Every structure is written in C-alpha cells, then in structure tokens.
Amino acid sequence: MPAVRVFQHLVNSFLGVALNRLNRYVYDVAYGLPQWPEISTFNYGYAPSDDSVAEAWPNEPYQIQLYAEVAKAGQAAARWTEPSRLLEVCCGRGGGLAYLHATLSPQVTIGIDRSLTAIRHRRNGNAAIVRLQGHALQLPLPEASIDLAVNVEALVDLPKLPFLTEICRVLATNGILAVADTMPHGPEACHLELIGLGQRSGLEVVSFRDVTTNVFEACRNDDQRRSRLVNRLPRYLRPIAREWVSLPGTTQFGQFERRERCYFIAVMMKNTARSHS
C-alpha cells in the first residue's frame, strides 16, 4: 500500500504541474488576443451600471461596475477612508485596477498576475501603478504590507485555503480582502464556506452579498457586445469563448438563471489573533 500511495502522489503531482502549465498557457493566450485590444478586464459584470462608469468605460461598463461594487464593499467595511497600500491579485490587463486606483486614491497601488502578457498589455500603461509578475500562492510582497487586497473571479480557480492564507500574510492589521467570485452553491452555503475558510486562514468574513441576479442581468444585457467579441475570434475558439463570456445558452448562464450557482461580493478582515495562533 505505501508504494501505491507514493505512486498516486507522484501521478497527482505530475497532473497538477501539467494542469497548472495548461491553465497558464490558456490565460496567456486569452490575455494576448489581438482581436480584443480594447478589453481591459475579463469578468461577468454587474448590472445596472452607474452613468459615470458607463461614460468613462463605454467598452465594458458592466465589468468596471463590478469593480465599483467591490470598492463600495471594501470602503463600507474598512476603518480607513483611503487605503495607503492597494493590491489586486490576478489583475489581468489592469482595467479594474486602474479604476480602483482612480477611485480610492491609494498611496501605493500594486497589480500582480502570473501572465507576463497581461501585465505588459497596453491597458496597463499607468506609471503610478506597480505591476509585478507573480503567483497568487506566493506573492512577492513582505508580510503586513497591504491595507486592501482585491480579487475578482480568481478564487474559484485557486486552492482556496492556501490562497487566503497567503493573502492574510501580506495584509496589515485590520487589512481587508474584498473578493468577487462564484461558487456552485446557494448563497447560504457559499457564505458558510467562506466563514469556514476564514477561520482556518486568519480572515473574518465581515460582509457577504449575493449579487447573482445583478451578474445574470449583466450577462443578458451585454449579450450583443459579447457576441460580437466572440465572432471576431477564429471559429475553432468560439465555442470556448462563448462559455467563457457566459452567453445565453451556455452552461454557466443557465446556472446563474436558475440560481444553481451563486455570485457574491464578500469582505474578509485580517483577524490578528487567529492569524498568529
């Protein structure tokens, strides 16, 4: 039996490395798509969008509105009016981070993504924002160096407990993580799962909001624009892209419509006592 278990461990390790490399390749391809040069952020979006957001970001008003809702949640839970040090983990092309930087006026703004293609994209041209290549599970930052960390739609693709533990490491006392993501559960189950993960990682859930209806409406209202984006791609990529952007008729769109999948915005605060226990 020990030999069998060793073999299984080796196989799982190999598959894990292979899948990680495949995911990295897929993200690099997506972020480097020449057919979508005007797109600065990839997320499902939030409806309705504020007039100010729609005017400033006409190409992706719903996507930037999601960041606006994340910013509001973070500000409501924080003990500061403006974060001194802002971090977005998995920042992609950087449009959402540019919005947060302009809205929250931090002294230091950092974006980290494992895709060099993404952080070198022309939409990441703001010299006031520090952009670093790095992995979400091994952030290239010292302990207690961040006041506000933001993560949009990457938690679902990461090992959740190691990721939240790493976020806790870089957060300062009373630092917060504002996260927007989706899980294949109802709202109550999602909330309880986050609470449990927080208790194990040193983060306390201080707010949780189910925004599934808003995300579904964004996908539906944005159907024509997303369809045009998909149709710019080579035919062999279109089925994958349709699922990725959650067009009507796709699996995830149906899950949002039937509320089989929850989309939430949550804020988690560093619990100093737990993080040092």
Side-chain angles (χ1 to χ4, degrees), residues 110-222:
I110 302 170
I112 293 177
D113 199 282
R114 65 179 178 179
S115 171
L116 194 59
T117 302
I119 61 178
R120 285 180 172 174
H121 192 268
R122 66 178 181 83
R123 298 306 295 262
N124 260 326
N126 190 334
I129 298 175
V130 177
R131 294 169 296 279
L132 301 173
Q133 185 181 24
H135 197 283
L137 304 184
Q138 295 177 317
L139 297 172
L141 298 171
E143 294 184 9
S145 59
I146 298 297
D147 299 306
L148 169 61
V150 171
N151 185 251
V152 174
E153 293 182 12
L155 180 64
V156 68
D157 295 321
L158 293 166
K160 294 179 177 60
L161 183 58
F163 171 64
L164 293 176
T165 300
E166 178 67 353
I167 290 291
C168 185
R169 181 186 70 82
V170 302
L171 285 178
T173 301
N174 297 324
I176 63 173
L177 166 66
V179 57
D181 219 321
T182 177
M183 291 185 188
H185 315 301
E188 297 81 4
C190 285
H191 193 182
L192 288 173
E193 182 173 346
L194 280 181
I195 290 173
L197 287 166
Q199 290 173 343
R200 297 164 64 191
S201 63
L203 298 171
E204 179 183 358
V205 177
V206 294
S207 71
F208 180 93
R209 180 183 170 204
D210 174 17
V211 295
T212 308
T213 299
N214 304 90
V215 172
F216 169 73
E217 290 297 329
C219 292
R220 185 168 63 179
N221 295 349
D222 204 23

Side-chain angles (χ1 to χ4, degrees), residues 80-84 104-106 147:
W80 33 253
T81 55
E82 297 176 353
S84 296
L104 299 178
S105 302
D147 299 306

Side-chain angles (χ1 to χ4, degrees), residues 1-70:
M1 285 297 293
V4 173
R5 288 175 182 169
V6 169
F7 177 74
Q8 289 175 334
H9 176 73
L10 290 173
V11 170
N12 290 336
S13 297
F14 173 78
L15 290 175
V17 171
L19 287 173
N20 184 62
R21 289 178 178 174
L22 178 61
N23 286 337
R24 184 168 185 171
Y25 173 76
V26 169
Y27 278 110
D28 275 340
V29 169
Y31 286 132
L33 284 172
Q35 294 90 349
W36 295 353
E38 76 276 25
I39 301 304
S40 71
T41 183
F42 296 90
N43 65 63
Y44 294 116
Y46 179 102
S49 63
D50 297 338
D51 290 342
S52 59
V53 171
E55 182 178 350
W57 301 82
N59 290 324
E60 42 200 345
Y62 299 113
Q63 286 68 37
I64 298 301
Q65 186 64 44
L66 181 62
Y67 276 88
E69 299 302 316
V70 170

